[in-house]
């Protein structure tokens, strides 16, 4: 909810404003999320981040504040969220970026290539939304385990690298029978434990290869360690867990990997059920949007209601905004350039608002015809929430 204050008033009732926010999110935001707003020391590998724009949930999870997302097409690297399933490798892996090696298997000429060699095979730049599967987890009533993300586990990034399809072409094509692209991260695994229980190794449908990128730059700069440098697999339209950091191997396989993160992790399932291979995997993202400004208050009169919208695996087509909690809707206007199918589009709606309290919501529709629902069903791990009411 947003409180609109008459511009003639010189004093904002902070207590009143705080109560409005609490009512809007009381059922959704856990105590951990509130505590995360306290000032803490950022780990060294992310100390360069713009700390006032981020919520430090843990050493491996940083969330962009809603108001810090703004209305830009591209999310600044120093404001982008961080989510690591394992601790980042030592920074020494960046000492000689071009020496980093990735093994390509399941092609007719399978081999290991250095980053320097990859750079000779082709280059493209693509804008994609990077989003954690659990973005919006804080809005589920059952308090799913995991980081209580609200809207800030997402950003829109420019990635530069070689298309995976170009690498495959150079190696003679994919072997017959392959159905998945299975990629493995280069994080250091703890000793004494089953590697398959910890390794970040994900399989996605083979068709995803057509848009996938082996990226060495983000937003025009060398890929930082915190975001997977020196080399990261980017799978446009897919949730972040499939975008493998520190990628060491890309294999074209007949079956999905038997790593735990694939077989039982990141599976959509009813509350109380364990993960299993026959459940929906967190692959393609769904259509989504949210308002980034104003968040809690604004001066009465003409207000620029701004936010971001994306279509998931399909391009976003349109977005509507409601200032009355969903009773009525008005079409918003996209702002800035269209950077393609997988990028988000900032939007704006101009509204004349009198002093009072408003519930501002947005809902997007993609080119496939999918529209954000009002609510999203509860699921065990709190994945995929795109219900517009809780994001209002």
């Amino acid at each position: 909810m947003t409180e609109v204050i008459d511009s003639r008033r010189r004093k904002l009732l902070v207590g009143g404003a705080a109560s409005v926010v609490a009512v809007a999110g009381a059922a959704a935001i856990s105590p951990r999320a509130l505590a995360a707003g306290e000032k803490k020391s950022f780990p060294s590998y992310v100390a360069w981040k713009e700390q006032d724009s981020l919520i430090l949930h843990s050493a491996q999870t940083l969330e962009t504040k809603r108001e810090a997302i703004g209305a830009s097409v591209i999310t600044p690297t120093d404001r982008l969220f961080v989510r690591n399933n394992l601790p980042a490798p030592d920074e020494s892996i960046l000492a000689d970026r071009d020496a980093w090696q990735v093994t390509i298997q399941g092609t007719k000429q399978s081999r290991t290539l250095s980053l320097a060699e990859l750079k000779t095979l082709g280059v493209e730049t693509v804008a994609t939304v990077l989003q954690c599967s659990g973005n919006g987890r804080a809005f589920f009533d059952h308090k799913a385990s995991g980081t209580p993300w609200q809207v800030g586990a997402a950003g829109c990034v420019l990635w530069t690298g070689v298309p995976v399809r170009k690498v495959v072409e150079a190696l003679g094509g994919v072997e017959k029978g392959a159905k998945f692209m299975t990629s493995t991260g280069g994080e250091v695994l703890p000793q004494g434990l089953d590697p398959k229980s910890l390794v970040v190794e994900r399989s996605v449908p083979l068709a995803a290869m057509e848009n996938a990128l082996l990226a060495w730059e983000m937003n025009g700069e060398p890929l930082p360690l915190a975001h997977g440098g020196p080399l990261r697999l980017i799978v446009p339209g897919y949730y972040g867990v499939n975008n493998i950091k520190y990628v060491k191997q890309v294999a074209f396989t007949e079956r999905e990997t038997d790593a735990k993160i694939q077989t039982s992790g990141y599976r959509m399932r009813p509350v109380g059920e364990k993960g299993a291979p026959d459940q929906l995997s967190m692959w393609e993202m769904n259509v989504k949007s949210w308002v980034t400004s104003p968040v809690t208050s604004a001066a009465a009169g003409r207000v620029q209601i701004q936010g971001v919208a994306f279509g998931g695996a399909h391009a976003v087509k349109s977005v509507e905004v409601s200032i009355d909690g969903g009773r009525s809707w008005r079409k918003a206007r996209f702002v800035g350039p269209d950077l393609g199918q997988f990028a988000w589009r900032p939007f704006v709606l101009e509204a004349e608002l009198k002093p009072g309290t408003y519930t501002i919501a947005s809902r997007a529709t993609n080119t496939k015809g999918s529209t954000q629902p009002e609510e999203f069903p509860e699921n065990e791990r709190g994945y995929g929430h795109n219900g517009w009411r809780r994001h209002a």
Side-chain angles (χ1 to χ4, degrees), residues 30 32-33 55-58 60-63 82-83 132 134-138 144-150 153 381-382:
S30 73
R32 286 180 299 162
I55 300 167
L56 177 64
H57 289 290
S58 75
Q60 295 169 206
T61 51
L62 282 71
E63 177 175 5
V82 172
R83 165 67 170 112
C132 180
N135 197 33
R137 179 180 285 131
S145 63
T147 303
W149 307 111
Q150 296 181 49
R381 293 307 311 277

Side-chain angles (χ1 to χ4, degrees), residues 356-372:
T357 300
Y358 298 79
T359 299
I360 301 175
S362 65
R363 65 181 184 189
T365 298
N366 65 19
T367 53
K368 188 181 179 181
S370 298
T371 300
Q372 282 181 261

Side-chain angles (χ1 to χ4, degrees), residues 1-13:
M1 297 182 181
T2 297
E3 185 179 12
V4 176
I5 309 297
D6 191 313
S7 59
R8 292 169 296 182
R9 290 171 58 184
R10 294 184 179 274
K11 186 175 182 180
L12 177 65
L13 298 177

